[in-house]
């Protein structure tokens, strides 16, 4: 049993075959997944993540403005997303953070909107999902400043791409570290150096699909069923049985969000 802690199956590339994708994931042992909404917070983009989560059992959603779209964040956007968190299926705020690789929003705006959303999540008592690219030091600095209070609900550093020191700093703040398919790539020795310091009880796995397809499916559209390959890779890397890693990461996710898996309908699908 596995959980895909971060996927984007609300995206257009899954419109044609979303039922099959969810079924395939379940058939492969993916017991639950977290659909992370992205896009323009003034549009219906985020509603789609919530609608998808509401349609399938053990599929959850997260809403929060990606650093790419930080420039679109304002009072109205915040109100819209806050409204969406009223769904019981919304269990986190994110992905939020800094992306200085693409710089789709001005850095100052990214910083400000990142802080603002951390505070909003705290107010709503929701954990946060963090995205950080080429901005690791600043990401850690902001999290240290904003997330050290006792009431902080914790968070997930998604698609971890930083150093061992970053992983350690984040774990100290109460974050779980989630690895995606890129940890399986040949050149990702730096990621594996970081993975070495992450104990099994702080570990999650994700696909970030449709992106980052793991070996052996590179070049294909990624989907939640493929999280198995990242988990198998990491089990071998840590020198533990696949079952051990699968069970551990599943329990980490469920404990973190205080969730229990619901029983499937007979066909495994919504009727
Ligand atoms: Zn991301
Ligand atoms: Zn993502």
């Amino acid at each position: 049993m596995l959980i895909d802690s971060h996927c984007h199956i609300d995206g257009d590339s899954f419109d044609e075959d979303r039922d099959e994708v969810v079924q395939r994931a379940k058939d492969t042992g993916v017991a639950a997944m977290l659909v992370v909404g992205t896009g323009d917070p003034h549009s219906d983009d985020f509603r789609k993540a919530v609608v998808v989560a509401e349609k399938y059992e053990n599929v959850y959603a997260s809403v929060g403005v990606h650093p790419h779209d930080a420039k679109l964040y304002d009072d109205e956007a915040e109100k819209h997303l806050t409204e969406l968190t009223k769904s019981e299926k919304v269990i986190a705020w994110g992905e939020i953070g800094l992306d200085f690789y693409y710089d789709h929003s001005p850095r100052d705006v990214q910083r400000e909107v990142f802080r603002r959303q951390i505070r909003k999540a705290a107010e709503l008592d929701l954990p946060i999902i963090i995205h950080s690219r080429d901005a690791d030091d600043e990401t850690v600095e902001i999290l240290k400043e904003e997330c050290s209070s006792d009431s902080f609900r914790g968070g997930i550093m998604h698609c971890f791409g930083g150093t061992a020191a970053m992983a350690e700093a984040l774990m100290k703040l109460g974050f779980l570290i989630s690895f995606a398919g890129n940890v399986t790539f040949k050149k990702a020795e730096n990621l594996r150096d970081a993975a070495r310091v992450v104990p099994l009880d702080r570990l999650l796995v994700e696909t970030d699909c449709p992106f980052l397809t793991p070996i052996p499916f590179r070049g294909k559209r990624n989907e939640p069923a493929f999280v198995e390959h990242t988990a198998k890779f990491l089990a071998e890397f840590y020198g533990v049985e696949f079952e051990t890693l699968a069970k551990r990461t599943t329990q980490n996710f469920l404990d973190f969000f205080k969730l229990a898996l619901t029983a499937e309908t007979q066909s495994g699908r919504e009727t």
Side-chain angles (χ1 to χ4, degrees):
M1 213 183 250
L2 284 165
I3 291 181
D4 185 353
S5 78
H6 190 112
C7 66
H8 299 285
I9 57 164
D10 54 326
D12 297 350
S13 65
F14 293 103
D15 281 352
E16 295 288 308
D17 62 346
R18 193 169 290 108
D19 286 347
E20 285 82 355
V21 165
V22 171
Q23 189 57 42
R24 237 180 345 257
K26 292 189 173 172
D27 293 346
T28 331
V30 178
M33 47 197 117
L34 179 59
V35 182
V36 179
T38 53
D40 178 354
H42 298 279
S43 73
D44 265 339
D45 290 355
F46 282 89
R47 188 170 300 278
K48 202 166 162 199
V50 180
V51 167
V52 167
E54 282 175 348
K55 182 172 179 198
Y56 305 101
E57 273 188 286
N58 300 316
V59 175
Y60 297 91
S62 172
V63 296
V65 174
H66 194 286
H68 289 346
D69 299 311
K71 57 181 182 255
L72 303 175
Y73 200 83
D74 56 14
D75 288 346
E76 211 181 306
E78 191 170 277
K79 214 172 119 193
H80 180 209
L81 296 188
T82 303
E83 201 52 43
L84 290 175
T85 65
K86 288 182 181 156
S87 163
E88 279 191 6
K89 283 296 192 94
V90 176
I91 58 171
W93 189 283
E95 53 190 291
I96 60 177
L98 303 173
D99 193 313
F100 295 169
Y101 179 78
Y102 284 109
D103 282 324
H104 286 332
S105 284
R107 293 185 179 182
D108 271 351
V109 176
Q110 290 192 43
R111 292 183 185 103
E112 190 203 310
V113 167
F114 184 23
R115 286 182 192 272
R116 189 170 160 186
Q117 292 190 90
I118 295 169
R119 290 173 197 167
K120 188 68 206 176
E123 195 187 303
L124 296 168
D125 197 30
L126 286 171
I128 49 181
I129 314 287
I130 307 297
H131 170 108
S132 171
R133 188 149 184 209
D134 282 6
D136 290 354
D137 291 345
E138 277 203 58
T139 297
V140 171
E141 205 177 297
I142 289 177
L143 291 173
K144 271 185 181 160
E145 283 171 26
E146 300 285 344
C147 303
S148 45
S149 84
D150 288 344
S151 59
F152 175 56
R153 275 282 278 111
I156 296 172
M157 180 66 228
H158 116 83
C159 189
F160 187 81
T163 60
M166 184 191 192
E168 273 163 347
L170 291 171
M171 288 189 291
K172 215 181 263 176
L173 289 172
F175 281 84
L176 295 176
I177 309 291
S178 183
F179 285 98
N182 50 345
V183 76
T184 71
F185 298 170
K186 267 202 182 70
K187 283 193 299 189
E189 207 43 64
N190 58 326
L191 283 187
R192 292 186 285 275
D193 286 343
R196 252 171 224 117
V197 306
V198 180
L200 283 189
D201 64 352
R202 306 306 288 274
L203 184 74
L204 295 175
V205 286
E206 66 173 80
T207 57
D208 201 16
C209 66
F211 317 108
L212 294 174
T213 311
I215 288 170
F217 296 113
R218 281 194 84 173
K220 272 185 77 173
R221 177 189 70 179
N222 197 4
E223 62 174 71
F226 296 167
V227 76
E228 188 186 14
H229 298 278
T230 300
K232 279 187 175 150
F233 178 92
L234 283 170
E236 209 179 302
F237 174 78
Y238 286 115
V240 298
E241 293 291 324
F242 170 68
E243 286 309 318
T244 307
L245 185 128
K247 220 170 152 182
R248 199 65 243 209
T249 52
T250 297
Q251 204 54 51
N252 291 344
F253 184 94
L254 297 175
D255 290 350
F256 179 75
F257 288 111
K258 302 187 176 76
L259 293 171
L261 295 169
T262 59
E264 292 292 330
T265 49
Q266 232 180 359
S267 68
R269 255 182 234 211
E270 292 281 332
T271 44

